[in-house]
Amino acid sequence: MAATNQGGPSLLTRTTLIVVAVILVVFAFHALYVYTSERSEIIDDIELDVAESLKRLSKSLGPFIESYAVNEYESLVTTEAALKRHFAVIVEDFEMGEILGQPYYLFGQLRQGDGQYVDVQARDTSVTEQLDQAFYAGSAPIIGSSGKVLGEVWVYASDDILVKKLDRALLEELFTVLVLAGILSLLLTAVLRRYFFNSILGIDAALKNSDQEGIPKAPVPSFRYRELAVLSNGINTMLDSIKGSRENLKIERRRLRNTIIGTRSGIWEWNVQTGETVFNERWAEILGYSLEELAPISIETWMTLAHPEDLQRSSELLDKHFRGELDYYECEARMRHKNGHWVWILDRGSVQSWDEHGRPLVMYGTHQDITERKQAEASLSMAAGVFRHAREGIVLTSAGGIILDVNSAFCTLTGYARSEAVDQNYEFMLASDHHNQDFRKQVLSSLENEGVWSGECWIPCRNGSVFPTLMTIAAVSNNDNAIEHYVTLFADISHLKQNEEQLRQIAHYDALTGLPNRLLLSERLRHAVSTTRRHGDVLAVVFMDLDGFKAINDTYGHASGDELLIVLARRMQTTLRECDTVARLGGDEFVVLLPELSSGTDCKPILTRLLAALSAPVDLAGHSVHVSASLGVTLYPQAQDIDADILLRQADIAMYQAKQRGKNQVRFFNGMDGSAFNSRLVPPASSDQSEKQLD
């Protein structure tokens, strides 16, 4: 037996080797942890430095870019790169780029191998290769005072600091591990040698070192002697079983506690027969209370705080559970918060113990705050109601532009059935001939840059017609700022367009004759003057007044006079060229614009035809009447550049001289002495005769 013990393995040697190995492994893991933590901390510092620089530069560069102060922000970039020792700092200036006809103007600082910085003016191959070597890079938009994106700033960081610090940390940790492992190994070996043979004292000491429940805190040491080894192993087996059971109980309790904390659930225990109730702190916290504020606690606490309408439903569900009709109790109920508002609670539970007569004894359950879910459900319900009943057309599309759904107003306005619109490409809504490709590009650009577009859009109908709408398209993004779908809202503005056209007609045209009025004449005259000046041709301005119109008004009445004006207005429109304009100033005064003349004499045939048309008899209420006209003409350009109002006054002067000299004639304004000249015309017998007299 003794020989067997002497020939057995050395427990001390093996124990020492195992202890040394465990210590080395533990310290190795510790070294790995320190190395990883140090690396993570250094990386976080690098990212923080980059983020701070981006925040500072994106805020500081905006005013300089808006004021085109290139030197100032180049100096700022140089200072930032040198101060923070970044690998590179690059600024893309969209505003200056637009001036230079480029996507952006680029300036930056790039650190070289010797630690010096060089200017970067373009992203050529060399710069790109160097920037790709950066350990970390970040960018941020440069926002102007108006919210417009003025450019983008990039900050690049190298891993020089990371490599140096990690190398130093690794060497220090390895040295520490080796020293501590050696010291601990020597100490443990000495301790084992000293106490290994003192077996009985070791067992006694192990049994005495127990916790409050009498369980030894440490296992009994193993011995090389058979009898003591069997004894120590038996004791340790019992201890392991006890500790295992106790540890499992702790694990279960910890899991239950973590589950309650993780789900933020209130828990309750209810003695159904006595009404005694136990709540946890979270149960009270959901309602804004502490447990001390609710004391004394019983089932009456729940009944007092619950909404009266929900108590009845809760009672019915509990009865069904007690009768076995429901496997568990579940009820959504409102409870009064300490601040006075109602909190929605999901109340769940089940009976866990029954008496011999099948009556419930103790019930356990949870409380969960579902207020946000109920609010979300209400919001979704309201949104669905708006979608169904809105009078405006609503279109929901995917991020790729495929129509997912339309409301009934869309179908009513366009004539398309929902089945005809769903799964179609959204482009068909913008396919009206009223919009060109530039319009579509503008819409897509606004959605891409701003996430929303609003404006007027003509939408095609199923029957081939189109109608104007006021449309808004908005992008809807998820929590990661990725576009999920688009929502389009449009309203029919056909009646507004009609009102605009009516207002434009009233504002610019004479109500009686339909001719342009004084306001529209003024606009067209200024445009004609500008065009004449640009093209180098001649413009004739004719001021016209009817001769004998007052006598017809007095003789046949104003209604007949109005009818005469309408007839003469139509004759003038028929007689004049398409590029000419005839406007009524009021009463029997008219102005005619004759643009695009090669010379002043080119207007004479037109004036001759105009006099002939106005002098022809008109049948009014069975009476044949006729009038003539006095015409004053001025030409543009003149020796001195004059504005449109002076041209009208000159033509007016010439017209009055035509009146004074016998009427029914044309007088041209003489720019030399302010008088008018040219011969008088008698009522023409024919167009040829009138043209001859005008010459």
Side-chain angles (χ1 to χ4, degrees):
M1 193 68 173
T4 301
N5 290 337
Q6 291 177 357
S10 173
L11 183 60
L12 177 61
T13 302
R14 290 194 175 185
T15 303
T16 302
L17 293 175
I18 292 173
V19 168
V20 172
V22 170
I23 292 175
L24 289 174
V25 170
V26 170
F27 277 102
F29 276 104
H30 175 72
L32 179 62
Y33 170 77
V34 172
Y35 176 85
T36 305
S37 300
E38 184 75 15
R39 184 179 186 277
S40 177
E41 183 178 352
I42 295 172
I43 292 175
D44 289 343
D45 289 341
I46 292 174
E47 294 178 356
L48 181 60
D49 284 344
V50 171
E52 289 178 350
S53 294
L54 287 173
K55 181 178 180 182
R56 185 163 47 251
L57 289 172
S58 64
K59 181 178 180 182
S60 302
L61 291 173
F64 293 135
I65 293 179
E66 288 181 325
S67 60
Y68 302 103
V70 176
N71 293 335
E72 282 76 5
Y73 74 66
E74 289 182 351
S75 176
L76 181 60
V77 168
T78 302
T79 302
E80 183 70 21
L83 181 64
K84 303 300 290 186
R85 299 301 298 168
H86 291 308
F87 181 72
V89 178
I90 306 294
V91 173
E92 296 177 355
D93 184 351
F94 298 163
E95 297 295 302
M96 183 59 68
E98 183 177 357
I99 294 176
L100 298 176
Q102 301 173 358
Y104 52 80
Y105 169 76
L106 187 140
F107 174 77
Q109 289 282 291
L110 177 62
R111 194 175 65 197
Q112 301 299 303
D114 59 358
Q116 300 298 317
Y117 285 90
V118 296
D119 291 344
V120 175
Q121 297 291 336
R123 291 184 183 271
D124 54 21
T125 303
S126 174
V127 171
T128 302
E129 291 177 353
Q130 293 183 66
L131 292 178
D132 289 340
Q133 298 174 5
F135 173 73
Y136 178 77
S139 66
I142 303 172
I143 309 299
S145 58
S146 62
K148 178 182 177 183
V149 177
L150 304 176
E152 192 168 11
V153 58
W154 292 79
V155 176
Y156 297 81
S158 65
D159 58 351
D160 298 346
I161 299 176
L162 176 65
V163 172
K164 292 179 180 178
K165 288 186 176 181
L166 289 180
D167 289 345
R168 183 173 66 252
L170 182 61
L171 292 175
E172 292 176 353
E173 192 63 24
L174 288 175
F175 177 78
T176 303
V177 166
L178 292 175
V179 172
L180 290 178
I183 294 174
L184 288 176
S185 298
L186 291 175
L187 290 176
L188 289 175
T189 302
V191 169
L192 289 174
R193 286 179 180 276
R194 173 68 180 81
Y195 296 103
F196 183 78
F197 299 101
N198 214 346
S199 306
I200 303 300
L201 292 177
I203 294 175
D204 181 67
L207 295 176
K208 287 182 178 180
N209 186 23
S210 60
D211 56 20
Q212 295 178 352
E213 298 177 1
I215 306 301
K217 297 179 180 179
V220 175
S222 298
F223 305 102
R224 72 174 187 170
Y225 300 105
R226 184 180 59 187
E227 295 81 3
L228 294 176
V230 172
L231 176 61
S232 63
N233 289 337
I235 294 174
N236 287 335
T237 300
M238 291 186 291
L239 291 177
D240 290 342
S241 178
I242 295 172
K243 290 181 179 179
S245 299
R246 190 166 62 175
E247 187 64 26
N248 289 335
L249 181 60
K250 289 180 179 179
I251 292 173
E252 291 297 327
R253 289 178 177 175
R254 184 168 62 251
R255 287 174 178 171
L256 178 60
R257 183 176 65 253
N258 291 339
T259 300
I260 294 172
I261 295 174
T263 59
R264 293 187 58 78
S265 299
I267 59 174
W268 51 267
E269 176 187 337
W270 175 31
N271 189 315
V272 181
Q273 301 301 321
T274 65
E276 182 182 356
T277 310
V278 178
F279 300 131
N280 71 340
E281 190 67 41
R282 174 58 184 163
W283 191 98
E285 180 186 333
I286 292 174
L287 303 178
Y289 294 95
S290 63
L291 287 177
E292 290 77 9
E293 291 177 295
L294 295 176
I297 295 174
S298 67
I299 193 61
E300 294 295 330
T301 307
W302 148 262
M303 299 179 67
T304 302
L305 295 173
H307 196 286
E309 296 178 2
D310 300 329
L311 277 177
Q312 179 65 29
R313 184 171 68 259
S314 173
S315 178
E316 294 173 356
L317 292 172
L318 282 172
D319 289 340
K320 289 183 178 181
H321 176 56
F322 294 159
R323 293 194 301 267
E325 297 177 14
L326 295 175
D327 293 335
Y328 59 91
Y329 159 78
E330 180 176 308
C331 179
E332 293 182 355
R334 289 160 289 180
M335 298 193 70
R336 177 74 70 179
H337 193 273
K338 181 180 180 180
N339 294 335
H341 62 273
W342 293 103
V343 178
W344 276 99
I345 298 296
L346 178 60
D347 192 20
R348 287 174 171 171
S350 63
V351 176
Q352 297 298 312
S353 62
W354 308 77
D355 64 10
E356 63 275 10
H357 302 293
R359 291 177 300 186
L361 292 179
V362 182
M363 187 174 181
Y364 299 89
T366 62
H367 264 202
Q368 283 186 303
D369 185 354
I370 59 171
T371 304
E372 291 186 2
R373 193 197 78 189
K374 299 295 285 186
Q375 292 173 346
E377 290 175 355
S379 298
L380 288 175
S381 177
M382 287 189 294
V386 171
F387 187 81
R388 287 194 303 269
H389 304 298
R391 298 178 62 184
E392 292 80 8
I394 301 177
V395 183
L396 181 65
T397 65
S398 67
I402 302 301
I403 296 179
L404 303 176
D405 201 0
V406 297
N407 67 343
S408 57
F410 171 90
C411 300
T412 301
L413 291 171
T414 64
Y416 286 100
R418 180 181 178 276
S419 59
E420 294 176 310
V422 172
D423 294 333
Q424 296 297 318
N425 193 292
Y426 188 73
E427 279 289 327
F428 92 91
M429 290 191 63
L430 304 177
S432 168
D433 293 337
H434 285 70
H435 305 302
N436 54 25
Q437 194 64 29
D438 291 338
F439 172 79
R440 297 183 180 88
K441 291 181 179 178
Q442 178 186 356
V443 173
L444 296 176
S445 175
S446 180
L447 289 174
E448 181 179 354
N449 297 328
E450 303 175 16
V452 66
W453 175 85
S454 182
E456 292 186 5
C457 180
W458 289 80
I459 294 182
C461 296
R462 193 176 188 277
N463 60 10
S465 64
V466 294
F467 66 96
T469 68
L470 184 60
M471 177 182 291
T472 298
I473 307 175
V476 180
S477 303
N478 57 22
N479 294 333
D480 299 326
N481 289 327
I483 296 177
E484 288 187 337
H485 54 269
Y486 294 94
V487 176
T488 300
L489 180 71
F490 64 88
D492 185 359
I493 58 171
S494 300
H495 62 288
L496 295 179
K497 287 293 186 180
Q498 293 172 357
N499 292 340
E500 287 180 4
E501 181 60 26
Q502 291 175 358
L503 291 175
R504 190 184 74 82
Q505 189 72 20
I506 293 173
H508 292 89
Y509 291 89
D510 178 52
L512 177 63
T513 62
L515 297 176
N517 61 11
R518 185 183 297 270
L519 178 61
L520 185 55
L521 171 67
S522 179
E523 294 179 4
R524 292 190 178 180
L525 178 55
R526 284 195 294 270
H527 176 72
V529 169
S530 175
T531 303
T532 300
R533 184 185 301 117
R534 186 167 57 253
H535 294 168
D537 48 20
V538 176
L539 166 68
V541 180
V542 183
F543 202 105
M544 178 192 310
D545 186 86
L546 298 180
D547 304 325
F549 177 74
K550 183 177 182 302
I552 293 176
N553 247 352
D554 295 341
T555 303
Y556 300 105
H558 290 285
S560 297
D562 290 344
E563 184 179 351
L564 175 62
L565 291 175
I566 295 173
V567 172
L568 295 180
R570 291 174 181 169
R571 288 182 180 177
M572 285 188 284
Q573 288 178 312
T574 305
T575 303
L576 296 174
R577 300 171 301 169
E578 185 177 350
C579 63
D580 299 334
T581 296
V582 56
R584 183 188 179 204
L585 299 185
D588 58 347
E589 290 185 337
F590 299 86
V591 171
V592 177
L593 303 181
L594 304 176
E596 301 179 11
L597 301 174
S598 299
S599 63
T601 59
D602 287 352
C603 68
K604 293 180 180 181
I606 302 174
L607 297 176
T608 300
R609 292 195 301 269
L610 192 59
L611 283 175
L614 294 174
S615 301
V618 178
D619 186 18
L620 294 179
H623 300 280
S624 178
V625 300
H626 69 86
V627 294
S628 61
S630 298
L631 278 62
V633 184
T634 187
L635 301 176
Y636 182 86
Q638 300 179 11
Q640 294 182 348
D641 194 18
I642 57 177
D643 59 23
D645 291 337
I646 295 179
L647 287 174
L648 280 178
R649 288 199 294 269
Q650 290 178 353
D652 190 18
I653 292 172
M655 184 275 295
Y656 272 106
Q657 292 187 5
K659 284 275 190 186
Q660 293 172 356
R661 300 195 176 218
K663 305 178 182 179
N664 191 25
Q665 62 178 281
V666 178
R667 300 293 296 179
F668 283 77
F669 180 78
N670 186 348
M672 298 299 294
D673 55 7
S675 63
F677 65 94
N678 274 5
S679 62
R680 174 182 181 275
L681 287 177
V682 298
S686 66
S687 298
D688 295 339
Q689 182 182 356
S690 299
E691 188 170 348
K692 188 178 296 183
Q693 291 171 336
L694 184 61
D695 292 336

